[in-house]
């Protein structure tokens, strides 16, 4: 992250992170809809964004989003059926899609159930081609890509020292992840870095060491893949809570977390 200092919203806890992210989502959804007539968002899997998804579909935010113009995609997916406990689609459906009036035809799921993960990746690439009207070799420009980060510095399904980290042509790949002994479907780095806005949601003390290394440590993206995420013309925002930011809270005020700056109820 050495090139340009990342934009960081420092929040108190996961609830604050989720509220801040929901405000950003509303802002971006309305701006994109006014500018382009729709809002394209690649959603993150994992557990951190669940609270955000529930908030967006809840009373405080649901009336502020032009749902019929929202197109949802996934940043990555496990190679399991859509009703499997590990499915990112299932997590998003239960916390978000079952409660928000997004038209069915605007929900673009990765088919993790496909027996051949390579075929699933190719077919999602075709979905991107159709929905974004891409010419051969053209990258889709998501209005927003939501990402989480693992305690090993991975993001989406871009895990340390895996083949996907070197992919420069495909939009979507089936990435073999040794530590799970399985493939994962994931958007590739060029696609994520072509987004208008990338937002990392990072919460919890287990992420603090990796986050400090990603933001302030030596450039080593093969070991810390989140360092590969540097939008070419778009923006990047890290929305982090106190526990995740402990290592990076050494603010100029010197007192770190005690001198919190507040923004949107975040610190
Ligand atoms: C996934 C995610 C993955 C996730 C991180 C953080 O499929 O699991 O895409 O990249 O964002 O592993 O996960 P938590 O939010 O559960 O900590």
């Amino acid at each position: 992250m050495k090139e340009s200092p990342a934009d960081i919203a420092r929040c108190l806890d996961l609830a604050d992170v989720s509220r801040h992210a929901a405000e950003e989502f509303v802002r971006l959804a309305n701006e994109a809809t006014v500018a382009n007539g729709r809002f394209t968002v690649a959603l993150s899997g994992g557990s951190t964004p669940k609270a955000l998804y529930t908030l967006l579909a809840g009373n405080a935010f649901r009336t502020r989003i032009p749902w019929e113009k929202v197109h949802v995609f996934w940043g990555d997916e496990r190679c399991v059926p859509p009703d499997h406990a590990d499915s990112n689609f299932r997590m998003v459906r239960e916390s978000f899609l079952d409660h928000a009036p997004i038209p069915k035809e605007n929900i673009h799921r990765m088919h993790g159930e496909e027996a051949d993960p390579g075929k699933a990746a190719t077919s999602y690439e075709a979905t991107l081609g159709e929905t974004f009207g891409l010419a051969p070799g053209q990258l889709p420009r998501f209005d927003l890509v939501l990402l989480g980060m693992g305690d090993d510095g991975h993001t989406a399904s871009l895990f340390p020292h895996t083949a996907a980290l070197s992919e420069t042509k495909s939009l979507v790949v089936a990435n073999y992840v040794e530590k799970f002994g399985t493939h994962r479907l994931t958007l590739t780095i060029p696609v994520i870095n072509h987004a208008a806005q990338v937002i990392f949601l990072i919460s919890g003390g287990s992420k603090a060491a990796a986050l400090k290394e990603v933001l302030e440590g030596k450039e080593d993206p093969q070991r810390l893949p989140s360092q590969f995420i540097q939008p070419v013309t778009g923006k990047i925002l890290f929305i982090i809570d106190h526990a995740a930011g402990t290592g990076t809270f050494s603010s100029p005020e010197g007192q770190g977390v005690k001198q919190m700056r507040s923004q949107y109820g975040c610190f």
Side-chain angles (χ1 to χ4, degrees):
M1 296 294 157
K2 292 262 189 294
E3 279 64 30
S4 58
D7 203 1
I8 302 176
R10 294 186 160 102
C11 298
L12 206 52
D13 53 22
L14 179 56
D16 264 349
V17 164
S18 308
R19 268 193 296 276
H20 186 97
E23 290 294 349
E24 290 295 306
F25 189 101
V26 165
R27 177 179 65 82
L28 292 163
N30 284 284
E31 285 174 3
T33 303
V34 166
N36 316 316
R38 70 178 186 177
F39 173 56
T40 56
V41 52
L43 299 173
S44 170
S47 54
T48 304
K50 274 186 204 165
L52 163 63
Y53 299 151
T54 303
L55 258 187
L56 289 171
N59 295 335
F61 288 90
R62 67 183 293 117
T63 56
R64 297 170 55 194
I65 296 167
W67 294 110
E68 74 290 350
K69 304 288 186 194
V70 175
H71 282 258
V72 296
F73 301 79
W74 273 255
D76 72 324
E77 184 54 281
R78 290 79 180 282
C79 290
V80 293
D83 58 355
H84 190 282
D86 292 347
S87 163
N88 284 335
F89 170 80
R90 176 173 160 178
M91 180 275 287
V92 173
R93 181 180 57 72
E94 289 175 341
S95 56
F96 189 26
L97 304 181
D98 284 353
H99 316 284
I102 298 173
K104 291 259 170 297
E105 62 274 19
N106 291 10
I107 298 172
H108 310 284
R109 175 174 79 83
M110 287 182 166
H111 290 204
E113 70 277 20
E114 164 69 53
D116 177 345
K119 265 203 199 135
T122 312
S123 102
Y124 204 66
E125 196 152 298
T127 299
L128 295 177
E130 282 144 36
T131 355
F132 284 88
L134 301 178
Q138 200 183 2
L139 292 169
R141 185 171 174 79
F142 283 96
D143 296 307
L144 172 60
V145 174
L146 282 173
L147 295 172
M149 189 192 75
D151 57 12
D152 60 355
H154 84 263
T155 188
S157 281
L158 302 163
F159 285 85
H161 309 293
T162 55
L165 301 186
S166 317
E167 179 56 52
T168 57
K169 295 270 174 295
S170 301
L171 308 182
V172 187
V173 292
N175 191 28
Y176 185 72
V177 186
E178 189 77 38
K179 75 177 193 180
F180 301 130
T182 179
H183 286 85
R184 290 265 190 104
L185 303 176
T186 187
L187 296 183
T188 56
I189 292 163
V191 170
I192 297 172
N193 282 342
H194 198 60
Q197 175 77 57
V198 172
I199 295 181
F200 273 94
L201 301 184
I202 306 177
S203 164
S206 67
K207 312 291 176 75
L211 182 59
K212 182 170 178 60
E213 283 210 85
V214 164
L215 290 177
E216 302 174 359
K218 191 168 72 62
E219 292 291 292
D220 189 2
Q222 282 291 332
R223 185 171 65 87
L224 298 161
S226 294
Q227 287 185 337
F228 272 121
I229 308 307
Q230 304 193 31
V232 181
T233 56
K235 296 186 186 144
I236 184 164
L237 169 65
F238 284 77
I239 306 179
I240 67 175
D241 68 3
H242 160 52
T246 313
T248 56
F249 263 49
S250 50
S251 61
E253 293 86 346
Q255 292 296 314
V257 71
K258 290 195 196 64
Q259 313 279 336
M260 292 183 192
R261 289 184 293 284
S262 143
Q263 176 194 12
Y264 294 104
C266 277
F267 293 84

